[in-house]
Amino acid sequence: MSAAERSITIKVREGAWLATFQDLGREQSEALGVPCGGAADQHSASVANILVGNPRTATGIEIMGGRFSFTTSKPVLIAVTGAPADVTVNGGKVQMWEPICVPAKGRVVIANARGGMRNYLAFSGTLVTGYFMGSSAPEARMGFPQQISAGDHVELQTSYAGFEHPYLTQPLFRLPVPIPSFERPLWTIDIVEGPETDAAHGIRELLSSREYTVTAKSNHVGLRLDGPVVHPQGLGEIVSHGVPIGAFEIPHGDELIILGRYRTLTAGYPIVAFATKASLPMLGQARPGQRMTFRWVSQEEAVDSQHEAQRLLNALETRVRSLFGAIDLPHHSRRIPAQAAA
Amino acid sequence: MSTQPAPGQPPSPAPDFAAIKAVPFGDSALMVSLATGSVDERQSGSRKLREILLDVRPHGLLDVVAGVDSILVEFDCLAVSHGQLAQTIRLAATSRSSTGDRQAHDGKHFVIPMVVNDSFAPDLADVAAELGISTEAVLGHLEDSELTINLLASAMAPMMGSVEFPGQVSRCKEPRTNVDPGSVMVAGTNAIIQPFPGPTGWKVIGRTPLTICDIREDPPTSFKPGDTVRFKVVPDSEWERLEGQFLRTDSYVIEGNH
């Protein structure tokens, strides 16, 4: 039987360059002028939650750069995903992309991220934080920054009460975790054609054959890339229209912008391509200096990739559910009896 | 299969929903617009289409983003394909328009006070010059216009039409990088209020002391698309009394009952 939920205080000791509460973003907010926002790397954020038995949409912590550390007096079950980083519990190295049983009086440090921009930290249970339009994702412009700083105390409601095993203090998990590769110096990002692809003569060949470099002007609104572009001809003024995440815009200057989850929702720039849905998590990890090239795929191939990505997440979720059931760790699919007990 | 456009429903012309254009915008979105009609017909048609979509909510629909004369329809590509969703949208639109407009939305009316002075209205003289009228006449046209909120733009900014200006107001040549919240702005024959500090290319002709969007309120705005608005220029001396109050239908009562 799962233990009743209890409240635990997470004491944040180091706050990284930027750490915020984060989830998968808002639903049905864009019709009201608010971008969906949410984790830039939705894959890593989802996996972190799945690995601790949470719903994928649960609130976690998104960490960018520097060192993030916290202590807790009670045991907690966590997972860390995203860019390769050094993760330690009480000084001992632990694996990313696995459930981690942090003992009572544990100190967890996440540092030295490399190859990508963001780490995701999930806790089994519910982090207590504010919500705006149904989501804990930051919306800084509207006065909802959600930032977590050194010295903050974050409250966690959890039914995890520690893990005991006759032989092992840390259970050996052999889970089929889909871990993206951050090692390649040159990323290949899948794209489909856009409304102005044909009007920009030569852009097809450029995007698929040349290298583009992410510049330091990039942020959660969009990635700005250095590389060869051509401006579409004979279009006249483009009336302002809605733009999806992943749109490749060529503004008046010689740069390429790939829109992120916090984009301005409408724009009138030519769009020469769209990143596929399945490639967005990787783009959410691109840091300044990252080189990338692009691969044209059909709409069918794009949807197939997304199917495959979701199939892998579903398979992982199924395995975690049965494993946690077998060793009596809390899982959100069993949360109702736990709440009834509380 | 072809469907006759619905008979005209005055005052707005019936949009030709049989001529809906739906273009893939990436693997998970469609750009939907009307292929035929005048500028006004396409704009009002896309507004109607947006209302229908938000009401019907076809399977797989995730969100919609309104443009000037189009709607971006975002969907779950694992639940529905471009073609299936486009077909559903066409069917929903034609069947809805042939059964007539159900005026489901019971619009509210807001009176929004605004203060006009040199620092709050940096573009008022430019707008007057462009329209060839006095600054007083610019404000008079704004106050005389019963505006309808067409959509909530960036950060829930209410975009309203149409101001009864004698012509179109152009945008700033160089967009401003930061405009204060509450700024009342115009472009074309539309008006908008800046809810939060931020950049804009619209022309600033006044400022309301009221807070029009507050994320601590639920919902964060009192208004919705379809609601109506009238601006009322008030003296500077009113600023202090009204500053920071959350905009509600009774925030400002004309001919003061206070």
Side-chain angles (χ1 to χ4, degrees):
Chain A
M1 200 187 86
S2 291
E5 270 201 351
R6 57 179 179 169
S7 187
I8 288 177
T9 303
I10 310 292
K11 294 180 178 172
V12 178
R13 304 295 180 176
E14 294 164 286
W17 295 341
L18 180 66
T20 65
F21 291 105
Q22 188 62 279
D23 63 16
L24 297 186
R26 302 186 161 75
E27 293 176 359
Q28 298 174 27
S29 66
E30 301 198 336
L32 299 174
V34 180
C36 61
D41 175 356
Q42 300 256 307
H43 175 81
S44 293
S46 298
V47 170
N49 271 319
I50 291 172
L51 288 173
V52 296
N54 283 349
R56 294 176 203 185
T57 52
T59 298
I61 297 177
E62 186 177 67
I63 297 162
M64 280 210 296
R67 285 166 62 91
F68 183 88
S69 64
F70 67 90
T71 56
T72 166
S73 57
K74 300 274 177 20
V76 288
L77 176 63
I78 65 166
V80 182
T81 61
D86 299 331
V87 184
T88 59
V89 176
N90 292 330
K93 189 177 187 310
V94 294
Q95 292 297 311
M96 293 178 61
W97 303 93
E98 279 187 14
I100 302 167
C101 297
V102 179
K105 298 194 173 64
R107 181 188 183 90
V108 177
V109 180
I110 300 164
N112 301 322
R114 51 203 171 263
M117 195 73 180
R118 294 171 170 93
N119 286 111
Y120 293 90
L121 167 62
F123 292 84
S124 168
T126 305
L127 289 173
V128 177
T129 181
Y131 286 78
F132 169 50
M133 298 179 90
S135 162
S136 63
E139 176 48 59
R141 185 184 172 198
M142 297 180 74
F144 194 65
Q146 290 292 78
Q147 194 168 342
I148 298 171
S149 308
D152 285 358
H153 289 186
V154 177
E155 197 185 325
L156 172 71
Q157 306 281 348
T158 183
S159 354
Y160 177 76
F163 180 78
E164 285 178 27
H165 187 278
Y167 311 112
L168 302 165
T169 52
Q170 172 75 20
L172 289 172
F173 297 108
R174 294 181 191 280
L175 293 163
V177 184
I179 305 176
S181 169
F182 290 90
E183 314 303 331
R184 297 189 199 99
L186 180 67
W187 292 358
T188 301
I189 300 293
D190 284 354
I191 55 177
V192 296
E193 66 179 19
E196 278 80 48
T197 309
D198 289 334
H201 301 294
I203 196 72
R204 282 179 197 275
E205 294 71 25
L206 286 176
L207 288 176
S208 58
S209 63
R210 304 287 287 273
E211 284 185 13
Y212 293 78
T213 307
V214 177
T215 74
K217 284 191 292 173
S218 301
N219 55 23
H220 56 329
V221 172
L223 291 179
R224 289 167 183 266
L225 283 78
D226 253 347
V229 295
V230 284
H231 293 274
Q233 299 299 312
L235 291 177
E237 189 79 1
I238 299 177
V239 176
S240 186
H241 56 72
V243 283
I245 301 160
F248 280 47
E249 290 182 345
I250 299 184
H252 301 308
D254 279 344
E255 67 178 346
L256 186 65
I257 299 179
I258 309 178
L259 297 178
R261 300 183 66 84
Y262 285 90
R263 72 214 186 279
T264 300
L265 293 170
T266 56
Y269 295 122
I271 297 175
V272 295
F274 298 96
T276 62
K277 178 118 178 159
S279 67
L280 294 177
M282 212 56 201
L283 288 174
Q285 285 287 2
R287 74 217 135 105
Q290 177 64 51
R291 293 182 296 128
M292 54 181 72
T293 187
F294 305 101
R295 184 173 77 117
W296 294 98
V297 300
S298 66
Q299 297 284 0
E300 292 73 22
E301 290 170 302
V303 174
D304 284 349
S305 303
Q306 181 63 7
H307 260 293
E308 178 61 9
Q310 289 302 307
R311 188 187 67 77
L312 294 173
L313 289 183
N314 292 340
L316 175 64
E317 201 160 44
T318 303
R319 282 285 297 278
V320 169
R321 184 184 302 124
S322 56
L323 173 72
F324 280 24
I327 60 178
D328 203 25
L329 288 175
H331 194 277
H332 73 89
S333 60
R334 296 191 302 163
R335 185 138 302 151
I336 292 154
Q339 274 175 351
Chain B
M1 187 177 78
S2 82
T3 311
Q4 284 297 315
Q9 283 147 354
S12 61
D16 184 5
F17 284 139
I20 287 174
K21 191 167 87 173
V23 179
F25 251 50
D27 57 19
S28 300
L30 278 172
M31 179 54 63
V32 178
S33 58
L34 297 187
T36 59
S38 68
V39 172
D40 281 348
E41 284 164 358
R42 283 184 282 117
Q43 290 188 8
S44 68
S46 88
R47 280 200 296 275
K48 282 220 176 78
L49 201 46
R50 176 179 170 282
E51 285 164 28
I52 292 170
L53 279 178
L54 288 176
D55 190 26
V56 173
R57 295 214 155 264
H59 177 65
L61 180 102
L62 295 178
D63 216 332
V64 302
V65 179
V68 171
D69 60 3
S70 62
I71 345 168
L72 180 75
V73 178
E74 300 173 293
F75 62 91
D76 176 359
C77 66
L78 303 186
V80 67
S81 72
H82 291 104
Q84 290 165 334
L85 185 59
Q87 180 67 2
T88 310
I89 291 171
R90 288 194 181 94
L91 284 172
T94 46
S95 70
R96 182 58 63 93
S97 70
S98 63
T99 58
D101 266 335
R102 270 183 293 167
Q103 205 60 46
H105 184 58
D106 208 5
K108 289 187 282 190
H109 181 70
F110 296 87
V111 176
I112 300 183
M114 62 188 273
V115 169
V116 179
N117 58 35
D118 288 348
S119 69
F120 289 173
D123 298 319
L124 180 58
D126 279 358
V127 171
E130 184 175 15
L131 295 174
I133 56 179
S134 67
T135 56
E136 292 76 16
V138 170
L139 297 171
H141 284 298
L142 181 66
E143 287 188 286
D144 289 345
S145 304
E146 168 120 334
L147 303 170
T148 303
I149 297 175
N150 290 327
L151 60 97
L152 302 193
S154 184
M156 298 187 149
M159 196 191 287
M160 298 162 269
S162 299
V163 187
E164 289 158 16
F165 285 145
Q168 301 281 321
V169 177
S170 65
R171 292 187 178 223
C172 298
K173 286 200 178 64
E174 290 287 324
R176 289 194 163 80
T177 52
N178 199 32
V179 170
D180 286 315
S183 294
V184 176
M185 312 185 290
V186 292
T189 54
N190 291 315
I192 198 166
I193 305 173
Q194 181 87 339
F196 297 93
T200 179
W202 291 55
K203 292 212 162 118
V204 182
I205 62 167
R207 194 184 299 177
T208 179
L210 301 179
T211 297
I212 62 155
C213 178
D214 184 343
I215 64 166
R216 292 164 300 185
E217 299 282 344
D218 185 21
T221 66
S222 304
F223 47 82
K224 286 191 294 200
D227 290 345
T228 55
V229 168
R230 212 172 256 276
F231 283 101
K232 172 76 184 155
V233 177
V234 301
D236 283 41
S237 55
E238 286 278 72
W239 181 272
E240 204 172 327
R241 182 174 71 81
L242 297 168
E243 187 178 13
Q245 289 184 33
F246 186 60
L247 168 66
R248 302 182 197 281
T249 48
D250 59 354
S251 293
Y252 191 82
V253 180
I254 297 185
E255 311 306 318
N257 290 337
H258 297 275

